[in-house]
Every structure is written in C-alpha cells, then in structure tokens.
Amino acid sequence: MVGWVDRANSKRAHTLAQIPHEWIDPNVINEMKERGYVNTREYLDSVLPQNEVRITALTATELIERIRTRKLTSFEVCYAFCHRAALVHQILNCCMEIFFDDALNKARELDNHLVTTGKVLGPLHGLPFSLKDQVNLPGIDTTIGYISRVGHKAVKRSLLAKVLENAGAVFFVKTTVPTAMLASETVSSLHGRTLNALNLNFSSGGSSGGEGSLIGARGSPLGVGTDIGGSIRIPAAFQGLYGLRPSHGRIPYMDVTNSYEGQELIPSVIGPMGSSIQDLELFAKLVIDSESWNYDPQLVALPWREVPHVKKDKLRFGLMVSDKLVMPHPPVLRALMETCEALRRCGHEIVEWNFPHNKRMIDVGEQVYAADFYDEVQEILETTGEPISEYMKIARENISYKGHSGRALGVSQWWEISREIRSLKEQFLEYWEKTRDLTSDGKPIDAIICPAWPSAGFRDGDVEFGCENYTVPFNVLDYSCVVLPVTQVDSAKDIPDASHSPFSTEDKKIHEYYKPEMFSGMPVCVQVVCKRLEEEKALAIAAVIEGCLANVEKL
Amino acid sequence: MVGWVDRANSKRAHTLAQIPHEWIDPNVINEMKERGYVNTREYLDSVLPQNEVRITALTATELIERIRTRKLTSFEVCYAFCHRAALVHQILNCCMEIFFDDALNKARELDNHLVTTGKVLGPLHGLPFSLKDQVNLPGIDTTIGYISRVGHKAVKRSLLAKVLENAGAVFFVKTTVPTAMLASETVSSLHGRTLNALNLNFSSGGSSGGEGSLIGARGSPLGVGTDIGGSIRIPAAFQGLYGLRPSHGRIPYMDVTNSYEGQELIPSVIGPMGSSIQDLELFAKLVIDSESWNYDPQLVALPWREVPHVKKDKLRFGLMVSDKLVMPHPPVLRALMETCEALRRCGHEIVEWNFPHNKRMIDVGEQVYAADFYDEVQEILETTGEPISEYMKIARENISYKGHSGRALGVSQWWEISREIRSLKEQFLEYWEKTRDLTSDGKPIDAIICPAWPSAGFRDGDVEFGCENYTVPFNVLDYSCVVLPVTQVDSAKDIPDASHSPFSTEDKKIHEYYKPEMFSGMPVCVQVVCKRLEEEKALAIAAVIEGCLANVEKL
C-alpha cells in the first residue's frame, strides 16, 4: 500500500500535469517575490498579455454581455481565465482539479451555437465558472480534502452543476478545500496550503479558500462555495470579494458531496462568490428561477422576487459593532463606521444592535459541529493514516474544555441542542421585531450590518488568531448574508486601540494580533444580514450600500 | 403522595365540574343507548332545543356570516355549542379543559363590539373554537395526556391561539389526547377513552381524537389538531370530517407543547379540523396572512397564494389504490373509485401511482418516532407510576422486531436516518416528475388521491387493527394533505373481497377485520396529497373533488 504522503504528492503532481506545459513555470513564485510582489492579482496583471489582463479584469456580468453581443468569444474569455488560473494555481495552490481542454472545447461549441442560432444558451452563455471541490462532475474526483478519496471519480452530476451548464457556464477547475471543509483556512494533507490572492503571507481563509484565492487573483470570474460556519464569507472577506450565504433551501445542494450528511440542524449551504453584487444576483436569480425544487426536496418552491422598493425607500439598519466577546480590529471598525456614515448621508437610518445571546449562538454552533467529536473525520483519515489536522485538534480541545465528553452525543442530547437553537431563533426574531422601538418610523430594521470577521484576515499559519464569531451565529439562524468589500487597511488611519479592555483572554489575543504594518493594504469587508429566505433583499441592500459609499467618494 | 389513579379521577371530576350543573346528566349515555342510538350527533339532534340544533348544524363559514350580519349573536352561537359540547363530553369523553364562562363572556364582548363599532374584530368574529390539549392558554392545564402534568397551568399563550383570538375566535374547550400524542386512538390513564362521534362502539381515532369526536358530534364548529403520523387525518377520517395536515412551516407551532421537542426530522404540524373545505381554507388563509413568521422562526415567510387556475383547469391525479402492503377495505376502494369516476366525468385525468418505496417510508417513520425507544415517555410516566400504554408497548415490540437495540440511538445513527429520509424525498419527487410520461399532455400530476386509512376506522379497543400506512409517508415527505369525506360504508355495496391474496400477515389480519354489518354507516374519507407547502392547492383540489362528486349525484 502506498503511504499517504506519496498518494498526496502523486495527486498534486497529477493536478499540475493537467496544465499545458507552455503554462508551467516552476519558478513563478520566486520571480514574483524577486520582483517584490505579494499580491498575485497585481503580479499577474504585470506579466500576462494585455488582452488577457483586460478580459480577466471584467466582471461576470460584463463578460457575458460582451460574449452575447459578440465583442468577445467564449473561447477568448475561457482561454484567458484558464491561462491565468494555471499561474494562480502555481502561485497560490488553489486548484484540486483542472480540465482546461474540456472547457475550451465547450467554449468553442457555445461560440458556434451563438453564431449558428443567433441565440445564447442561457444567462451564463460562455462564462468560465469555477466550482468548489464538493460539486460533483462525472469522471472527476471529489475528495473533500481526504487522501483516501483520491481516485473516487464522481458518477452523478450535482444538480447545481446541471443548472449552471444549462445556463451556459463553462467549468474549467475545481478548487481546494481543507479536510472535510472544517476549517477557516484551506489546508489539507492532500493539497497543502492555499494562500491569499492579495498577500502571499496571508491565508486564503476557508473552507472555500480555493475559490476565494482563485477569484481573488482573477483566475475565475465567478464560482460557488459552501458555508456551514462562514466558509463562503470568510474567504470572500479575506480576498475582498462578494459572497452570498443563502438560506438553506434556496440554492440546490442535491448531489453535492459533504461531510456529516444528514446533519440538518445547521445545514451547510451553497452559494456564489464573485467580483460584484450584480454577479451574485445574476447567479442567484437564474438558479432560483430554474425551479430546481421539482428535483431537490430540500428546496423551498419560492421563485425569485424582485424588491424594487429596497432600491428607493428609506432603509433601517441595526449596527452590530461588536458581539461583546471579540472586538473587531480598527480597520473593521472603520469599515463599519464609514458604511453607516455613507448610509446616513443617503437618508437611511442606523440603530444599535446588541442582541444579548451571541455567546449562546456560538456555543451551540460548536456543539453541532462537534456532535460526534469529529469521529467521522477521524475514521476517514485513519483509512490512510493521514494525521488529523491542527484545526481539528484545537476544535476538539475547545469543545472538551466546554464540557463535551469526548464521545458522540446521543439522540436526546441532539434534540436538546435543537431546542436551544429554536429558542435562540425565537429570541433573535423577537429582538429584531423590537427594533420598532428604536427607529423613527416604528418599523423594524431591514438588515443588520456587522463585521464578517474581526480582522482583515490572518497570516498563513495563524489560524489560532481566527474567530468565527461573526459568521457562525447566522448559520445557526439560517439567515441571508452578503459580504462586500468596503475599504482596505490603512496603517495611517487604523491605529491600534490601546484603551480597549479585553472581554476575555481570547479577545486579548486577537486584539494584540493587530499590527497596522502587517495588515496594511488588506481588504476589509462588512456583512449585511437579512432574515431567512430574504436573499433578494440582502443582495439589493448590499447594492444600496455600495451606491451610498460611491456617493461619499464623489463628494 | 396521591396515587396516579386518584389524581386522574380527581382531574376528570374537576373537568366535569366545569360544566354548569343544569347541563350535567349522568344518565345521558344510558338514555342514548336505551333509545337505540350509537350516533351522538343524531342523538343530540333529537334531544337538544331546535334553535340550538339549527345553530350547531351550520359550518364555521355560515356561522361567521350570520354573526357578522347580526342574524345570530356570538352569544347564542357560543351558548348552543357550549351546551352541546357539555353533552358530547358526557357521552364521548372528549374534553380535557372546559371554560364556558370565559367563552360566553368573550362572546358578549364581541357582540357589544360589533354593535358599538359596526365592525367585526376579524374573520372569525364570535366563532366558538376548540383546541387540542397541546395548545397553551395561560392559567389552563396542558397535560399532553400525562397525569404528572395535571395542575401545570400554562404561562405563555401559543402564538396560534393569539392569532385566532385576534381574528375573533372564542375558545371554550381543550380536547383530549392519548399519552404524549403517540397513538392513533385517544386513550390515556389520565382521561380514559374518547369514543367516536358517529358510533359509540368505534374509536375516535387519534391523536387529535378529542377534536374529531367533539367536532364530529357538532360540539364545535372548527378546531385545531396536530399531526406527526396522521393525528389530524385519522380522527377526521373516522368522524367523516375535513382535515388539513399542512407542511411544516405554514401554521405556527410556537409555544404549543409537544412530545419530543427538538425532533425535527419528521416534525409534528398543527392544522384545522372542521366540517367543510371552506372552513379549512378560512382558517389557513387567515393564519398564514397573519405573517406570524415575524415571531415564529420555524415558519416560511410565504403569504397565502390564491390558485384560481386549479378551479378551472383540467387537473391530473395519481391514484394510489393501495400501497401493496395493506389493502384497503372494500368501502375505501369504492370511495377511491367513485372519486376518480367523478373526476373523469368532469374532464380530469387519472393515472396510476405506484411509488415503489412505501415500506421504506413507513419503516423510517417508525425509526424516527422510536429513536429513543420511548424513554422520554417512560421517564415522565414513572414520575407518577402510571403504566405505559398498550399502544407504546406494541410500538416498542414492533421496532425491536425490526432491529432496534432497545436503547436510544446515537447522533450518527440519527444522521443516517436523516440521509434515508432525504433519499426517499428525492426518489419521491423524481417519481412525481416522471408522471409526465403517463399523462396525455406531458405534465406531471397535480395531486395524489389515496386512502387516509385502510378501513373506515376500528372499534374502540381494536387499535391493533389500525395501520398508519397511508398517513406516515406524507409526514416523512412533509407534503400538504387534505382528508375529505366521500361516502359511508354500505353493507350492500361493500362486499368483502374473498379473492384478495394477502401481502403479509398484517395485511391478512386487517383484511379479515372487515365485516360489512359492523362498519355499516361509518364514514369513508379519501386523502388528497400535494407537494410540500402547497396547502392552497391541496385545499382547492379538495373543493374541486367535492364539486365533481356533487355533479355525479345530480345525474
């Protein structure tokens, strides 16, 4: 039997071998460093052919429009993204599966289709599209980060992949995940470490870190990630991207491989990551309007609903500056303040949001994730002997510290957790409804604005300075969340706050992690949170926020 | 400490003592029997004052209209129903809590409100309304059939009760349930046995047997039951009533007491039982339009959707004559055939429905219900020493026979059941979609027509001849189901089928239970099943079926 190290190395070599040899450059990362770059996006803009740089700078919406109107061919577009993705992967280690040939053939077919019929296949006609490893394409491995699953080629196609293909998407890569998708960095014994697109010293985030890294470096215009504790929002935030965590039941997860299948108290959801709100809307609308609920019983038969009033009415926001457990770093606080100031200037109203049970929400999330003490993960790892990740060791320690017996729960304990979640959902709704008492017109808030993450990421390897406090609660609640970039760390503006009295040792550790020079230039996102199944509203509000921020810049 | 028998007797006496003494008649059941009656509805029609008989014969919709237009007062109506309910309870043992005084005071208030303002409070203005024991009203016991909970007065009001009260409903009784609501008959050590409204020898069904019995005898015009395995549909079918089992997330269950709270794989749901489709629609529309999703996080924010096309288009039905496990009795088969014949005559199309995995759906239902081997129930019973019910003993035996270890499951086994349910839901949807191949216009069916129960009920005590095969699968699927009465057993028409080759020993036992004379005159219902969250469509289709059946009668 081949050892797990050899199997992993062999898989990595195999992935690399899928790149055409003229695009292989074993020295690329050294050249980049020698030229003083840490930002892969900027570096590639400086070395790739100008026409490819122009193409890969466009949003998905712009690309589709140019393909539809035949200003660009799908082939040109796919070629540019394949070329760029090949280099991004060699720098950041973000792809698990590469199939450029299939993509370029498909692109040619779509170009022919458009020329011949004069019609596009669908709203994504000719767009290169990346997929997180979990999404199944027949004949291609789905490993979810386990060495033992190398060579497990998928048989079925995920329903979402069918929907996207029917809309004209062109798949060209599947991207890396941490083992079992259970980490906020993207590290596995199988693929190694996935780095941040904007700073080689930083983590890509996780678990959809491969997507975040690839899209962040413009190696893909649009892709899908999954999110059970922040896995779409964290890499989106770390790379200055846009990400939608939809509610469960909105975007089809059918035949997408997952860890802990059948765990439905805090369901993993699947959603888009991209470079503009319009791109996320494009994705969400077309997927929802595919009426996939006729096939996937987990979906709610709820068509896409336009929300024109959101774009013209006065809106009310609840601002959660901190959860009183972990104080966000100064750049994140500034991002929140600038966002609220911009909204106020446009006539919107901001009230305070101080839900008192944040800790219970985070604790119950941990209890769900660790319900079997990660036995499922350990059992799969043991089949090859690959070691359990540091992240999971920490998770086990944390949950033991909080009273977990170290053995899988019984069904009655599971139901107890379920009751706790229901109670928290009820209290959260009640608190939301009570914001009527705070707003000037007696209406409850439309959305919460809060951090997506307390810092502008963390350095690769520093996952212990991470903290899912601002993502997990909305998985527990199953609310609609959009992450959007608002600013970058500015070491001149974002001075450490020496006056902060830490809430706890964890808070102290994270607080002291902030160094202006280290974070300088990293993107800072904020999070918009609407209620369950309000994806249309969350996206529309994110667009409103962008508009208000743009207005302020013009002043 | 008072023994459980004494506590139960004392509670029964206390319930009875809530009835005004002029309505107490310890001899009523003997008089009824002496006069040759088994049907409580018919008997009470013969002994009650004619104006009360006229009032209690009206549907909820008719009553509300007469109150609104001041042809009747709410007081007259409530008085008539209180009086009748008092007698029904003394005959059938269907009430747990009686509060006529509160009801009559409330009715007077509503009458005054209408006179003073000229306006009704809401769409149920002045309507007497009965509630299953589980629904909480402050100051009133919620026992869910446990002696140990006698005297546990509710503090909170169930959200649904608030909605109904805001709509003008007048609560006057809460009705009996079997211990923990886990039986298809309504029997507990606490209250005894609840009998069938139409035949004293028969069971009321369960677990909403108190509602079924009371409404069946016209002691209430409209009420709510709950359903986790058929508990609305079974008593509705046994009493020739209309019942809606809504999908989870449509009607608020918040602050309604339940067994196994936190068990969310097959959730219990709450819905109306009444005497007409219009009454169920009235209830569903007003409750859904209350936007209770702003308070109850389990609800889907899905407003009531009118479905005018259902009432004018050609419809397609899948007819499930039998599940190939337990053959329905001849009267049920005739009810199905007459229904389909009536639909065909009106231009609708019927195709065969033979989903191949009915057994798996029933088995997985049992696994969920018995996941902790009923430890929760036993633990609560042990606090007073009351014995575990026969029904639960049988359930334990059955599940042990099928491989249950007799110990509560672990969380990984629970997730395995969850995966099985998801897989069944996917296969069911796929089968539904494939009915396109069977219909003349290539569209999938609109609804399934099937039995609600394989027989027209069973004699009181004969619960072993019951069988939830036609209800449980739709709890597993969480589909929208309506039960409606179609015919009565006719001993001349409904001849035993000697040619049937039993599918199993269970089927043989149930098959041989059919005796035309014994069942003669009992009501026979059919079940209409639409997909998840299609309550509007299921109700509209039930109305179409009634219209078609009425058309045939006119011929």
Side-chain angles (χ1 to χ4, degrees):
Chain A
M1 189 176 130
V2 182
W4 63 267
V5 176
D6 291 339
R7 286 181 74 175
N9 286 340
S10 155
K11 176 66 181 177
R12 290 185 214 185
H14 182 264
T15 302
L16 205 61
Q18 304 311 304
I19 297 176
H21 65 86
E22 64 273 22
W23 291 349
I24 291 285
D25 180 359
N27 209 30
V28 61
I29 197 157
N30 290 332
E31 284 166 23
M32 176 176 164
K33 286 179 179 169
E34 278 162 23
R35 290 189 46 206
Y37 282 99
V38 291
N39 183 319
T40 302
R41 176 174 182 166
E42 289 176 2
Y43 172 66
L44 292 178
D45 282 349
S46 77
V47 296
L48 280 165
Q50 274 314 295
N51 68 318
E52 293 184 17
V53 171
R54 272 195 300 274
I55 286 171
T56 55
L58 297 172
T59 67
T61 307
E62 291 165 341
L63 288 164
I64 292 160
E65 176 62 13
R66 281 172 177 67
I67 294 169
R68 190 182 66 77
T69 56
R70 296 171 64 181
K71 295 195 180 76
L72 288 173
T73 65
S74 171
F75 185 84
E76 285 174 280
V77 171
C78 288
Y79 186 93
F81 277 100
C82 287
H83 186 193
R84 188 161 182 136
L87 295 172
V88 175
H89 174 62
Q90 292 174 78
I91 298 168
L92 301 174
N93 192 24
C94 57
C95 295
M96 272 312 296
E97 306 293 334
I98 290 174
F99 32 95
F100 295 154
D101 283 353
D102 291 354
L104 293 171
N105 287 337
K106 179 76 186 287
R108 268 200 206 88
E109 272 175 39
L110 288 167
D111 285 333
N112 286 339
H113 176 90
L114 179 58
V115 170
T116 317
T117 66
K119 285 180 188 155
V120 294
L121 194 69
L124 299 181
H125 185 98
L127 183 75
F129 200 105
S130 52
L131 299 168
K132 188 174 183 178
D133 169 85
Q134 295 169 262
V135 179
N136 285 306
L137 299 176
I140 294 177
D141 279 7
T142 300
T143 65
I144 60 170
Y146 289 115
I147 295 172
S148 60
R149 297 208 180 168
V150 170
H152 283 211
K153 295 190 193 311
V155 178
K156 278 191 175 179
R157 189 179 308 268
S158 298
L159 177 56
L160 180 58
K162 289 184 200 170
V163 168
L164 295 171
E165 282 191 324
N166 290 342
V170 179
F171 303 135
F172 65 118
V173 289
K174 295 211 312 178
T175 56
T176 52
V177 298
T179 312
M181 285 81 65
L182 294 173
S184 54
E185 59 179 355
T186 297
V187 179
S188 73
S189 303
L190 173 56
H191 85 277
R193 313 185 69 84
T194 301
L195 302 178
N196 189 293
L198 308 183
N199 189 328
L200 284 181
N201 300 313
F202 272 69
S203 170
S204 63
S207 69
S208 313
E211 282 300 316
S213 175
L214 181 68
I215 301 171
R218 303 298 304 148
S220 168
L222 190 56
V224 294
T226 63
D227 192 318
I228 194 175
S231 287
I232 287 173
R233 291 164 288 164
I234 297 163
F238 285 16
Q239 258 98 193
L241 299 174
Y242 298 77
L244 168 67
R245 190 218 93 94
S247 304
H248 179 60
R250 219 66 215 280
I251 307 290
Y253 213 110
M254 188 171 153
D255 295 327
V256 171
T257 300
N258 200 4
S259 292
Y260 293 106
E261 291 190 25
Q263 184 283 91
E264 294 187 351
L265 277 189
I266 303 183
S268 175
V269 296
I270 191 161
M273 300 167 66
S275 298
S276 79
I277 288 291
Q278 289 68 34
D279 291 358
L280 304 190
E281 266 186 355
L282 171 75
F283 171 96
K285 182 176 182 336
L286 89 88
V287 173
I288 289 169
D289 281 346
S290 71
E291 301 188 355
S292 292
W293 49 74
N294 288 320
Y295 306 93
D296 183 350
Q298 306 291 308
L299 296 178
V300 177
L302 198 59
W304 178 264
R305 298 153 302 177
E306 296 292 343
V307 284
H309 58 280
V310 170
K311 308 223 170 178
K312 53 176 209 265
D313 289 0
K314 182 202 117 169
L315 300 170
R316 297 144 216 88
F317 294 91
L319 170 63
M320 174 166 77
V321 174
S322 114
D323 66 352
K324 305 290 195 305
L325 300 168
V326 169
M327 182 57 82
H329 284 182
V332 178
L333 294 175
R334 180 171 58 81
L336 292 171
M337 293 311 136
E338 287 180 4
T339 300
C340 288
E341 182 53 27
L343 285 167
R344 274 196 209 96
R345 286 193 185 209
C346 291
H348 302 298
E349 184 174 6
I350 315 285
V351 301
E352 273 189 35
W353 180 274
N354 282 310
F355 181 67
H357 304 301
N358 297 313
K359 185 165 183 322
R360 279 173 60 197
M361 289 205 285
I362 294 157
D363 287 349
V364 82
E366 272 188 293
Q367 286 169 32
V368 168
Y369 307 142
D372 78 337
F373 207 62
Y374 302 110
D375 283 350
E376 176 184 303
V377 178
Q378 182 159 333
E379 278 166 28
I380 300 175
L381 292 177
E382 279 171 359
T383 61
T384 55
E386 58 173 312
I388 200 157
S389 68
E390 278 306 309
Y391 192 88
M392 206 132 294
K393 281 185 201 161
I394 294 171
R396 277 182 165 179
E397 273 167 31
N398 284 345
I399 198 82
S400 298
Y401 181 74
K402 288 181 182 177
H404 196 293
S405 71
R407 287 174 48 207
L409 301 184
V411 72
S412 301
Q413 293 169 299
W414 185 248
W415 294 336
E416 200 178 318
I417 294 176
S418 167
R419 293 195 293 274
E420 166 76 348
I421 291 176
R422 189 194 298 184
S423 162
L424 285 165
K425 286 178 174 175
E426 289 176 0
Q427 290 172 72
F428 202 87
L429 263 188
E430 191 183 348
Y431 188 90
W432 188 297
E433 197 62 19
K434 276 196 183 149
T435 58
R436 289 179 185 278
D437 301 341
L438 303 175
T439 60
S440 56
D441 56 7
K443 292 187 180 171
I445 58 163
D446 295 287
I448 298 167
I449 293 180
C450 65
W453 193 260
S455 67
F458 52 79
R459 287 171 67 100
D460 185 44
D462 283 357
V463 68
E464 68 193 287
F465 296 97
C467 162
E468 293 91 0
N469 273 30
Y470 294 93
T471 50
V472 166
F474 305 113
N475 294 87
V476 173
L477 295 167
D478 193 25
Y479 276 24
S480 315
C481 308
V482 174
V483 158
L484 71 159
V486 163
T487 186
Q488 294 85 37
V489 179
D490 180 329
S491 54
K493 288 183 187 168
D494 302 320
I495 311 298
D497 176 10
S499 72
H500 172 60
S501 310
F503 301 122
S504 64
T505 50
E506 188 196 13
D507 182 41
K508 186 167 187 286
K509 182 176 82 173
I510 290 171
H511 185 71
E512 290 172 356
Y513 187 64
Y514 179 62
K515 306 275 186 309
E517 323 71 47
M518 182 173 104
F519 282 98
S520 182
M522 291 305 288
V524 187
C525 287
V526 299
Q527 184 172 209
V528 177
V529 179
C530 288
K531 289 183 187 172
R532 180 173 165 229
L533 300 172
E534 289 190 341
E535 284 65 35
E536 298 89 338
K537 188 173 182 181
L539 288 165
I541 287 178
V544 166
I545 292 174
E546 276 211 325
C548 294
L549 285 165
N551 263 349
V552 170
E553 277 171 25
K554 278 187 217 143
L555 292 176
Chain B
M1 191 176 128
V2 182
W4 64 267
V5 176
D6 291 339
R7 287 181 73 174
N9 286 340
S10 154
K11 175 67 180 177
R12 291 185 215 185
H14 182 264
T15 302
L16 204 62
Q18 304 310 305
I19 297 175
H21 65 88
E22 64 272 24
W23 292 348
I24 292 284
D25 181 358
N27 209 32
V28 61
I29 196 156
N30 290 331
E31 284 166 23
M32 176 177 163
K33 285 178 180 170
E34 278 162 22
R35 290 189 44 207
Y37 282 99
V38 291
N39 183 319
T40 302
R41 176 174 183 168
E42 289 176 2
Y43 172 66
L44 291 178
D45 282 348
S46 77
V47 296
L48 281 164
Q50 275 312 296
N51 68 319
E52 293 184 17
V53 171
R54 271 195 301 272
I55 286 172
T56 55
L58 297 172
T59 67
T61 308
E62 291 165 341
L63 288 164
I64 292 160
E65 176 62 13
R66 280 171 178 67
I67 295 170
R68 191 182 65 79
T69 56
R70 296 170 65 180
K71 295 196 178 75
L72 288 173
T73 65
S74 171
F75 185 84
E76 284 173 281
V77 170
C78 288
Y79 186 92
F81 277 99
C82 288
H83 187 193
R84 188 161 182 136
L87 294 172
V88 175
H89 174 62
Q90 292 174 79
I91 298 168
L92 301 174
N93 191 24
C94 56
C95 295
M96 273 311 296
E97 307 293 333
I98 290 173
F99 32 96
F100 296 153
D101 284 352
D102 292 353
L104 293 171
N105 286 337
K106 178 76 186 285
R108 268 200 206 89
E109 273 175 37
L110 288 167
D111 285 332
N112 287 339
H113 176 91
L114 179 58
V115 170
T116 317
T117 67
K119 285 179 188 157
V120 293
L121 195 69
L124 298 182
H125 186 97
L127 183 74
F129 199 104
S130 51
L131 299 168
K132 189 175 182 177
D133 168 85
Q134 294 171 262
V135 179
N136 285 307
L137 299 176
I140 294 177
D141 279 7
T142 299
T143 64
I144 59 170
Y146 289 114
I147 294 171
S148 60
R149 297 208 180 167
V150 170
H152 283 212
K153 295 191 193 309
V155 177
K156 278 191 175 180
R157 190 179 308 269
S158 299
L159 177 56
L160 180 59
K162 289 184 199 168
V163 169
L164 295 171
E165 283 190 324
N166 290 342
V170 179
F171 303 135
F172 65 118
V173 289
K174 296 211 310 180
T175 55
T176 52
V177 298
T179 311
M181 285 81 65
L182 294 172
S184 52
E185 59 179 354
T186 297
V187 178
S188 74
S189 302
L190 173 55
H191 84 278
R193 315 185 67 85
T194 301
L195 302 179
N196 190 292
L198 308 183
N199 189 328
L200 283 181
N201 301 312
F202 272 68
S203 170
S204 63
S207 68
S208 313
E211 282 300 316
S213 174
L214 181 67
I215 302 171
R218 303 298 303 150
S220 168
L222 189 57
V224 294
T226 63
D227 192 319
I228 195 175
S231 287
I232 287 173
R233 292 164 287 165
I234 297 163
F238 285 16
Q239 257 98 193
L241 298 174
Y242 299 77
L244 168 67
R245 190 218 93 96
S247 304
H248 179 60
R250 220 67 215 280
I251 307 290
Y253 213 111
M254 187 169 153
D255 295 326
V256 171
T257 300
N258 200 4
S259 292
Y260 293 106
E261 291 190 24
Q263 184 284 91
E264 294 188 351
L265 278 189
I266 303 182
S268 174
V269 295
I270 191 160
M273 299 167 67
S275 298
S276 79
I277 288 291
Q278 289 68 34
D279 291 358
L280 304 190
E281 266 186 355
L282 171 75
F283 172 96
K285 181 176 183 336
L286 90 88
V287 173
I288 289 169
D289 281 345
S290 71
E291 302 188 355
S292 292
W293 48 76
N294 288 321
Y295 306 93
D296 183 351
Q298 307 291 309
L299 295 178
V300 178
L302 198 59
W304 178 264
R305 300 154 301 178
E306 295 292 342
V307 285
H309 57 281
V310 169
K311 308 223 170 181
K312 53 176 209 265
D313 290 359
K314 183 203 114 169
L315 300 170
R316 297 144 217 88
F317 293 91
L319 170 63
M320 174 165 77
V321 174
S322 114
D323 67 352
K324 306 290 197 304
L325 301 168
V326 169
M327 182 58 83
H329 284 182
V332 178
L333 294 175
R334 180 171 58 81
L336 292 171
M337 294 310 136
E338 287 179 5
T339 301
C340 288
E341 181 54 25
L343 284 167
R344 274 196 209 94
R345 284 192 186 211
C346 291
H348 302 298
E349 185 175 5
I350 315 286
V351 301
E352 273 189 34
W353 180 274
N354 281 310
F355 181 67
H357 304 301
N358 296 314
K359 186 166 182 324
R360 279 173 60 199
M361 290 205 285
I362 295 158
D363 286 349
V364 83
E366 272 187 294
Q367 287 170 33
V368 168
Y369 306 141
D372 78 336
F373 206 62
Y374 301 109
D375 283 351
E376 176 183 305
V377 178
Q378 183 159 333
E379 278 167 27
I380 301 174
L381 292 177
E382 278 171 359
T383 61
T384 54
E386 57 173 313
I388 200 157
S389 69
E390 278 307 309
Y391 192 87
M392 205 132 294
K393 282 185 200 161
I394 294 171
R396 278 182 165 179
E397 274 167 30
N398 283 346
I399 197 83
S400 299
Y401 181 75
K402 288 181 181 177
H404 196 293
S405 71
R407 288 174 46 209
L409 302 184
V411 72
S412 302
Q413 293 169 299
W414 185 249
W415 294 336
E416 200 178 317
I417 293 176
S418 166
R419 294 195 293 275
E420 166 76 348
I421 290 176
R422 188 194 299 185
S423 162
L424 285 165
K425 285 177 174 175
E426 290 177 359
Q427 289 172 73
F428 203 87
L429 263 189
E430 191 183 347
Y431 187 90
W432 189 297
E433 197 64 19
K434 276 196 183 147
T435 57
R436 288 180 186 278
D437 301 341
L438 302 176
T439 60
S440 55
D441 55 7
K443 292 187 180 171
I445 58 162
D446 294 288
I448 298 167
I449 293 180
C450 64
W453 195 260
S455 66
F458 52 80
R459 288 171 66 102
D460 184 44
D462 283 356
V463 68
E464 67 193 287
F465 296 97
C467 162
E468 294 90 358
N469 272 31
Y470 294 93
T471 51
V472 166
F474 304 113
N475 294 88
V476 173
L477 295 167
D478 192 26
Y479 277 24
S480 316
C481 308
V482 174
V483 159
L484 71 158
V486 163
T487 185
Q488 294 85 36
V489 178
D490 180 331
S491 54
K493 287 183 187 169
D494 302 319
I495 310 297
D497 177 10
S499 72
H500 172 59
S501 311
F503 302 123
S504 65
T505 50
E506 188 195 14
D507 181 42
K508 186 165 186 286
K509 182 176 81 173
I510 291 172
H511 184 71
E512 290 173 355
Y513 187 64
Y514 180 61
K515 306 274 186 311
E517 322 70 47
M518 182 174 105
F519 282 98
S520 183
M522 291 306 288
V524 187
C525 287
V526 299
Q527 183 172 208
V528 177
V529 179
C530 288
K531 289 183 186 173
R532 181 174 165 228
L533 301 171
E534 289 190 342
E535 284 66 35
E536 298 89 339
K537 188 172 181 181
L539 288 165
I541 286 178
V544 166
I545 291 173
E546 277 211 324
C548 295
L549 285 165
N551 263 348
V552 170
E553 277 172 24
K554 278 187 215 143
L555 293 176

